[in-house]
Amino acid sequence: MSGHQRTRSMSIVMATPEHEQSRNRIEWLASLDTESRPGKNYRRTSIICTIGPKTNSAEKITMLRKVGCNVVRMNFSHGTYDYHQSVIDNAKESERQNPGRPLAIALDTKGPEIRTGNTTGDADIPISAGDELNITTDDKYATASDNHNMYVDYKNIAKVIAPGRTIYVDDGILAFEVLDIKDDKTLLCKAINNGKISSKKGVNLPKTDVDLPALSEKDKADLRFGVKNKVDMVFASFIRRASDVIAIRDVLGEDGKDIQIISKIENQQGVSNFDKILRVTDGVMVARGDLGIEIPPAEVFMAQKMMIAKCNMAGKPVICATQMLESMTNNPRPTRAEVSDVGNAVLDGADCVMLSGETAKGNYPRESVLMMHDTCLLAEKAIPYVSHFDELRSLTPRPCDTLESCAMAAVSASLELNAGAILVLTTSGKSARLISKYRPICPILMVTRNPTPSRYSHLYRGVYPFLYPEAKPDFTLENWQEDVDRRLKWGISQALKLDVLSRGDSVVCVQGWRGGQGHTNTIRIVPAEPDLGLART
């Protein structure tokens, strides 16, 4: 192997001796070298990019993929079905023109929301701090709101709110204190700050449990659109209880059974019911935009850490989102606080980080993805993987099932061998997800014949999904182990091409004892060689 290959591979994975010497977090952090740079070919954290007017073309999506995008997101709060269809078509065309690792597609629902009505002529009407007005659900003000009567479209607001509570409008720009509940349609409120009453602005009711349905008719239609177009995951907005996730699964139906439901936690109800939601969801998004309005901003970082930690313990993917590099929408460089925010999300344990306006409407989409890529790479270097693995393993309930035991054993072997990679053969992606749970230092190479898991497994930190191109053989005519060895050889060859592995590296292989889902129970150690070392005598 060339000196270049050896140096590059060591910079990616040869960290075990250092980790072994620093068995606790403080000692490890104190030993960090700020000038050291990891190998560019191995970023563990996936990057989700929202596609908007500035990036909705096959060429632009390819540009984002080349600098780090793993998942494209469609925001169904905006746009028509024709527009969203164009995003899907462009993403697939990008993959066709530039084959490589699979690209996942996510549908972000609008979700249940509360909005103000229209002002007369859609004018912006000034209001001053201390002014009193009625907030009402009376339909006669739906298109005639003013500084005396402001319409909101949540009919039960008078039943669920109480005097002394706060109502936020337009992402908290305008705030009102509830003084009195006048009747079943009307609240007497006082403006807390100066602002303007405008048409169709979002309304938040912090510390108030709302009883809106989990899905509007628009959401149901949007989900059916996603099923028809075979999206890989749904980012479900404003999930408040476990039953909301079940309702979404019912709408997705049999045709959408493989679509991953990622529950967006955006209010106090979602935080309070988090444990029950986590049990039924496929993953979680810490959606800090509305969450920072629904709960005090100073509590958001605690909620973030709590939810990420619980997802890590459960082995379910978690996304950190909203305003991560917000200033790069208009500027070529982020603020230092934004970069620290991305880095700290990675240190907290996020599997993915997300860009919104930065790539949808920003002037610097490529630079935003590059900045996020570089920040994630360095943040991942600051994680004390060995002590982190020990802690996660100690928290796993005993006895555990065979699959989880194999995942732990594979990661343990990779640390002890200083392995170049863990290669897992999987049907559903579950084996890869559980290996990801234990956060190995080396990459997890996932080889599957199933196109859907090859895309949604981008949700799992450290997983490199590869779609195996050959059809499943007839095992009555061909030896099953020969097919296994072909897939292992192919996966290693793909990793060598990407420069993630170097020839001669040890590879921990995880496979089943027979074909199909649910049979993973075998670990093999092979060298990263074209023949898996089988030709040696």
Side-chain angles (χ1 to χ4, degrees):
M1 125 175 71
S2 71
H4 168 73
Q5 287 177 313
R6 183 180 296 277
T7 301
R8 190 173 185 84
S9 179
M10 287 179 69
S11 68
I12 296 171
V13 300
M14 295 294 188
T16 301
E18 299 168 13
H19 283 269
E20 291 286 358
Q21 291 164 14
S22 304
R23 296 296 297 194
N24 64 69
R25 177 176 172 274
I26 294 176
E27 189 178 13
W28 170 251
L29 291 176
S31 70
L32 291 177
D33 179 358
T34 59
E35 295 184 355
S36 174
R37 291 294 180 270
K40 291 293 184 183
N41 277 9
Y42 181 39
R43 169 175 43 81
R44 300 165 177 84
T45 311
S46 288
I47 296 175
I48 300 167
C49 296
T50 305
I51 302 302
K54 292 291 183 74
T55 47
N56 186 20
S57 69
E59 294 73 24
K60 293 289 187 181
I61 291 174
T62 297
M63 174 193 73
L64 297 179
R65 289 173 65 205
K66 287 181 176 179
V67 293
C69 174
N70 305 108
V71 181
V72 296
R73 168 184 175 252
M74 301 175 290
N75 185 356
F76 272 66
S77 293
H78 311 285
T80 63
Y81 285 136
D82 286 343
Y83 178 80
H84 295 306
Q85 187 68 58
S86 72
V87 174
I88 294 170
D89 293 343
N90 286 330
K92 292 181 177 178
E93 180 63 17
S94 169
E95 273 199 291
R96 189 190 68 79
Q97 293 177 1
N98 298 271
R101 287 202 296 141
L103 177 68
I105 299 174
L107 185 161
D108 197 323
T109 65
K110 185 177 183 181
E113 62 179 4
I114 306 170
R115 288 195 174 270
T116 64
N118 293 85
T119 59
T120 303
D122 288 331
D124 293 332
I125 302 171
I127 190 168
S128 300
D131 288 354
E132 294 185 5
L133 82 167
N134 295 320
I135 291 181
T136 180
T137 61
D138 190 332
D139 288 336
K140 71 180 181 181
Y141 297 108
T143 56
S145 293
D146 56 26
N147 57 344
H148 301 293
N149 294 279
M150 184 178 75
Y151 177 83
V152 297
D153 60 8
Y154 177 36
K155 296 298 184 182
N156 284 352
I157 190 170
K159 297 178 182 178
V160 300
I161 207 162
R165 297 274 176 86
T166 302
I167 298 174
Y168 287 118
V169 178
D170 194 12
D171 290 334
I173 292 174
L174 193 55
F176 297 92
E177 179 189 355
V178 178
L179 300 178
D180 187 29
I181 300 172
K182 296 174 72 172
D183 54 44
D184 61 357
K185 292 184 178 180
T186 309
L187 310 174
L188 177 64
C189 300
K190 180 175 70 174
I192 296 174
N193 60 297
N194 300 330
K196 293 180 179 179
I197 297 173
S198 304
S199 298
K200 294 296 181 182
K201 296 300 181 182
V203 176
N204 294 90
L205 308 177
K207 303 296 183 183
T208 298
D209 289 350
V210 300
D211 55 1
L212 287 168
L215 293 166
S216 66
E217 291 305 313
K218 171 181 164 47
D219 291 329
K220 293 176 183 178
D222 292 347
L223 291 173
R224 288 190 286 268
F225 174 87
V227 171
K228 182 185 75 171
N229 283 280
K230 295 180 170 60
V231 301
D232 303 297
M233 57 197 77
V234 167
F235 297 162
S237 296
F238 297 103
I239 295 297
R240 303 189 302 275
R241 55 184 76 87
S243 58
D244 295 349
V245 183
I246 295 168
I248 291 169
R249 181 60 70 199
D250 289 343
V251 174
L252 293 176
E254 180 65 22
D255 290 342
K257 65 181 180 181
D258 293 327
I259 295 174
Q260 302 293 285
I261 299 175
I262 308 300
S263 298
K264 295 171 66 178
I265 306 301
E266 305 184 72
N267 50 41
Q268 184 62 54
Q269 278 179 280
V271 174
S272 299
N273 295 323
F274 185 76
D275 291 349
K276 293 178 180 177
I277 292 169
L278 185 58
R279 281 197 285 271
V280 298
T281 190
D282 295 310
V284 168
M285 180 186 291
V286 183
R288 303 172 307 171
D290 280 279
L291 187 60
I293 301 169
E294 292 277 343
I295 69 175
E299 295 178 11
V300 172
F301 88 97
M302 290 183 64
Q304 173 177 316
K305 289 178 182 296
M306 176 273 289
M307 289 188 279
I308 290 177
K310 287 186 174 181
C311 287
N312 289 172
M313 291 168 63
K316 292 191 176 182
V318 57
I319 302 165
C320 195
T322 317
Q323 297 178 328
M324 301 211 80
L325 296 176
E326 179 80 5
S327 68
M328 290 193 75
T329 304
N330 298 307
N331 300 303
R333 288 174 57 82
T335 66
R336 314 310 176 263
E338 287 170 335
V339 173
S340 293
D341 182 39
V342 174
N344 280 314
V346 173
L347 292 177
D348 285 346
D351 294 83
C352 312
V353 286
M354 193 176 92
L355 294 167
S356 300
E358 301 95 330
T359 53
K361 62 181 181 180
N363 295 324
Y364 302 97
R366 182 178 182 276
E367 292 81 358
S368 297
V369 179
L370 272 173
M371 179 59 66
M372 188 160 267
H373 168 83
D374 290 341
T375 304
C376 290
L377 270 174
L378 289 175
E380 289 162 3
K381 185 176 173 59
I383 297 170
Y385 289 95
V386 173
S387 59
H388 192 69
F389 168 69
D390 289 341
E391 188 173 357
L392 280 169
R393 182 168 55 177
S394 70
L395 291 169
T396 301
R398 303 307 200 269
C400 59
D401 63 27
T402 301
L403 187 55
E404 182 130 11
S405 180
C406 278
M408 278 190 281
V411 176
S412 179
S414 74
L415 294 173
E416 291 160 4
L417 290 163
N418 199 19
I422 298 172
L423 196 159
V424 56
L425 305 181
T426 181
T427 300
S428 66
K430 184 177 179 181
S431 299
R433 174 174 64 82
L434 287 174
I435 294 169
S436 171
K437 170 184 175 179
Y438 292 97
R439 300 299 196 247
I441 299 173
C442 63
I444 303 162
L445 310 175
M446 178 186 129
V447 177
T448 181
R449 285 189 167 100
N450 193 334
T452 302
S454 77
R455 294 188 293 268
Y456 69 59
S457 291
H458 280 301
L459 288 168
Y460 313 143
R461 190 196 277 198
V463 172
Y464 270 55
F466 294 100
L467 180 62
Y468 186 62
E470 296 181 17
K472 187 175 182 178
D474 182 349
F475 292 127
T476 63
L477 302 175
E478 181 174 333
N479 181 276
W480 178 73
Q481 189 59 49
E482 290 178 1
D483 176 65
V484 167
D485 288 347
R486 275 201 306 273
R487 284 181 282 158
L488 294 178
K489 292 173 183 176
W490 182 85
I492 287 172
S493 72
Q494 297 303 304
L496 289 170
K497 288 178 186 176
L498 283 175
D499 213 10
V500 173
L501 267 178
S502 289
R503 289 188 65 166
D505 285 347
S506 294
V507 180
V508 179
C509 300
V510 182
Q511 63 181 73
W513 62 279
R514 66 175 184 177
Q517 187 173 335
H519 304 303
T520 299
N521 71 347
T522 305
I523 295 174
R524 295 168 61 188
I525 314 298
V526 303
E529 300 287 355
D531 62 359
L532 305 181
L534 297 175
R536 299 175 188 177
T537 57

